[in-house]
Amino acid sequence: MQRNVDVAVIGAGSAGLAALKQVAAATDSYVLIDGGELGTTCARVGCMPSKAVIQIADDYARRNLFARLGIDGAAGVRLDVAEALEHVRDLRDIFVDRVLAGTIDELGDRFLPERAHILGPDSIRVGAATIRAKRIVIATGSRPIVPEAWRRLGDRIVTTDEFFEQESLPGAIAVVGLGGVGLELGQALYRMGCEVTGFDRLPAPGGVTDPAVASCAAEVIGREFPLHLGAPVTLSARERRIEVRSNEHGVVVDKVLASVGRRPNVDGIGIENLGVELDAGGVPLFDPHTMQVGELPVFIAGDVTARRAILHEAVFEGRVAGFNAVQPRPIAFARKTPLTITFTDPNLCAVGADLAELPADASVVGEVRLGSLGRALIMARNRGVLRLYADARSGRLRGGALLAPDGEHIAHLLAWCIERRLGLVDLLRLPFYHPTLEEALQAAARDALAKLGTHPPHPADLEPLASSPTGA
Ligand SMILES: Cc1cc2nc3c(=O)[nH]c(=O)nc-3n(C[C@H](O)[C@H](O)[C@H](O)COP(=O)(O)OP(=O)(O)OC[C@H]3O[C@@H](n4cnc5c(N)ncnc54)[C@H](O)[C@@H]3O)c2cc1C
């Protein structure tokens, strides 16, 4: 059987659905193909259920401060783990249902619940049928990596694909891989009562490259549960348990959360039949501004690109890919300022350029430690650091990294300033309310200006009126 369409979208995740919306606005001739579990990684096993777990863990952990604040009864506060995990699954189901109701449920026979196998740049095998498509969007996502040697340990190894299905928590767990996902879930598990040990072969947790912020994160989060960084692990079975070793550190646990990264789903989908160059990971070379693969009528989007495996980037790429799949010629779109947030407490965030990318002799770093920040002290959450990077000559903001309570909001403000091409003085001329956490941003910008030795004729945060004799 053969079916001819204008566009075939492979993958009904966040990227694929964003692409589909663009396609459906331009043509009725399309199919969406997905042979896996529906509802998107974000809603089913990613962003949303993980944040639901973290919310419970952080609310519960707050009891540890009660005595200091004069609130009695903390010792009587208990977490019903089974109830809590059921609440997470309930929320997860709501998010998944919402995805399905707004999209796939309404597609009728335009939705093909099968695995796609690419036969060439204009044809796909789907079950017994061949789809001939003028354009193809590949949005097949990624899956958790489980090293081959760990597979024989069976269900003692848990990935985020299984994590949110658990109805109870293990007594002791090792989190192997302390990128954003491992760090978030490790801290949440610790706060929910598990004995947690974290391991990563890299020296810095959370994938943050700024050394001052990374070491602050290791110190602050490491106060709650041990983080063994900078060496690989070996896993061995110990009856029904697992021994995890890394150099001189060893621990025997009930389960291991394998959070060592995700592999793009490019294997087994016939990617080689496109006949284009693949990178070392098997991902076809593509233009990140058009999402076009080589010169082919094929576009790619989301985690499958193995570049920025986060939700808003997947959606951005899906929109670009879908839009371009219905244009006579692809249009190039500007990428947004990089922004990553790890929802630990404090949040660990990176914005804009990496410090290592910037020329050291032409950049300035403004820094503020949060120990004495008024609002953070009041919240009893005054651990962390905020660093922002600016061009030493123009003062233009380039990037930053921070470990801060509710840092997600500060990170957004900084990203928006960078996106709008603001400089240190522009930032300081914006209003800052008192007492707020945002004042940390103001303090870091002032620190950067002071380091530059810039002495404007008036305070940097006062903007002279153009009509004023001193205004220029
Ligand atoms: C635990 C966890 C927490 C996260 N937290 C955050 C967060 O807080 N913020 C954030 O921004 N990001 C977060 N992410 C990342 C985010 O969830 C992903 O970047 C995003 O969901 C990727 O979307 P996607 O469309 O590329 O992939 P997916 O949503 O995985 O969609 C891919 C689809 O392709 C289908 N598919 C695969 N192969 C085939 C085939 N051959 N034929 C047909 N269909 C196929 C699959 O079944 C799947 O439905 C988190 C991820 C995890 C795992």
Side-chain angles (χ1 to χ4, degrees):
M1 194 185 89
Q2 181 173 309
R3 186 163 164 184
N4 298 325
V5 291
D6 286 348
V7 184
V9 177
I10 310 175
S14 303
L17 292 174
L20 192 77
K21 212 167 177 182
Q22 296 295 321
V23 170
T27 175
D28 286 338
S29 172
Y30 59 83
V31 286
L32 174 67
I33 311 161
D34 196 314
E37 280 198 62
L38 298 178
T40 76
T41 289
C42 170
R44 272 189 324 105
V45 291
C47 327
M48 303 310 274
S50 62
K51 265 75 268 174
V53 168
I54 289 166
Q55 186 67 49
I56 295 167
D58 289 355
D59 287 348
Y60 184 50
R62 194 74 194 158
R63 79 193 186 290
N64 295 323
L65 288 169
F66 285 0
R68 197 183 346 151
L69 308 181
I71 305 171
D72 282 341
V77 177
R78 289 274 172 275
L79 178 71
D80 183 327
V81 170
E83 282 275 335
L85 295 178
E86 195 180 328
H87 171 70
V88 171
R89 288 194 300 278
D90 286 348
L91 279 177
R92 187 261 328 260
D93 292 346
I94 290 171
F95 294 124
V96 166
D97 285 351
R98 251 192 230 168
V99 170
L100 300 182
T103 53
I104 294 159
D105 290 354
E106 283 151 33
L107 288 178
D109 71 352
R110 289 198 190 108
F111 176 64
L112 308 177
E114 306 262 10
R115 291 190 64 74
H117 190 85
I118 296 165
L119 301 171
D122 63 354
S123 61
I124 306 165
R125 194 178 65 234
V126 180
T130 301
I131 306 291
R132 292 198 74 91
K134 292 182 189 151
R135 309 278 173 91
I136 295 175
V137 176
I138 302 169
T140 48
S142 61
R143 61 184 187 277
I145 294 172
V146 180
E148 199 47 47
W150 299 5
R151 291 189 184 275
R152 63 191 156 73
L153 296 163
D155 65 3
R156 284 169 284 183
I157 303 286
V158 185
T159 72
T160 48
D161 275 359
E162 299 88 39
F163 183 85
F164 303 103
E165 276 306 315
Q166 298 180 110
E167 294 182 6
S168 61
L169 293 178
I173 186 162
V175 176
V176 181
L178 295 169
V181 168
L183 211 56
E184 284 182 356
L185 291 179
Q187 187 185 51
L189 284 166
Y190 168 78
R191 291 183 167 195
M192 291 173 85
C194 297
E195 203 178 293
V196 179
T197 313
F199 296 89
D200 200 301
R201 66 188 166 82
L202 296 176
V208 166
T209 53
D210 183 305
V213 176
S215 75
C216 187
E219 201 263 313
V220 170
I221 296 169
R223 284 180 188 213
E224 292 192 78
F225 64 99
L227 306 178
H228 302 304
L229 300 166
V233 296
T234 53
L235 268 51
S236 23
R238 288 282 173 273
E239 298 180 354
R240 281 297 303 147
R241 307 186 84 206
I242 303 184
E243 181 172 9
V244 184
R245 289 212 69 83
S246 166
N247 284 345
E248 73 277 18
H249 305 290
V251 64
V252 177
V253 293
D254 303 305
K255 300 258 184 198
V256 167
L257 176 67
S259 45
V260 291
R262 296 178 67 86
R263 192 184 306 291
N265 289 327
V266 280
D267 45 339
I269 66 166
I271 204 83
E272 62 287 354
N273 297 330
L274 290 177
V276 288
E277 194 182 339
L278 307 179
D279 69 14
V283 178
L285 303 189
F286 66 95
D287 179 336
H289 300 285
T290 61
M291 304 315 293
Q292 185 179 16
V293 173
E295 298 292 313
L296 300 178
V298 176
F299 300 84
I300 190 164
D303 279 15
V304 66
T305 66
R307 298 299 193 278
R308 298 182 186 177
I310 45 180
L311 192 274
H312 71 277
E313 295 286 358
V315 171
F316 170 89
E317 292 176 355
R319 295 181 74 206
V320 171
F323 180 81
N324 278 332
V326 289
Q327 302 305 311
R329 259 187 308 280
I331 294 175
F333 292 94
R335 300 294 307 215
K336 296 186 187 185
T337 300
L339 168 64
T340 57
I341 297 169
T342 299
F343 292 89
T344 43
D345 176 22
N347 293 166
L348 179 57
C349 313
V351 183
D354 267 2
L355 186 56
E357 287 170 23
L358 297 171
D361 54 354
S363 307
V364 62
V365 179
E367 177 175 317
V368 60
R369 297 265 156 187
L370 302 192
S372 58
L373 186 73
R375 186 58 183 276
L377 262 163
I378 290 166
M379 296 163 85
R381 296 170 70 198
N382 57 326
R383 292 200 179 112
V385 59
L386 186 156
R387 308 225 306 157
L388 55 81
Y389 325 138
D391 188 278
R393 216 156 46 88
S394 65
R396 194 164 140 198
L397 293 161
R398 296 291 180 191
L402 52 129
L403 180 80
D406 300 336
E408 56 178 299
H409 305 299
I410 300 175
H412 272 90
L413 296 182
L414 183 54
W416 294 348
C417 289
I418 294 170
E419 186 80 36
R420 294 284 116 205
R421 299 164 181 268
L422 300 189
L424 290 165
V425 171
D426 302 315
L427 172 59
L428 287 173
R429 287 182 178 173
L430 298 170
F432 286 88
Y433 206 79
H434 174 75
T436 60
L437 296 170
E438 284 74 7
E439 286 175 301
L441 201 52
Q442 189 181 36
R446 284 193 176 140
D447 181 57
L449 271 190
K451 283 176 178 154
L452 285 176
T454 320
H455 298 295
H458 43 74
D461 53 349
L462 304 184
E463 185 173 5
L465 290 175
S467 58
S468 143
T470 52

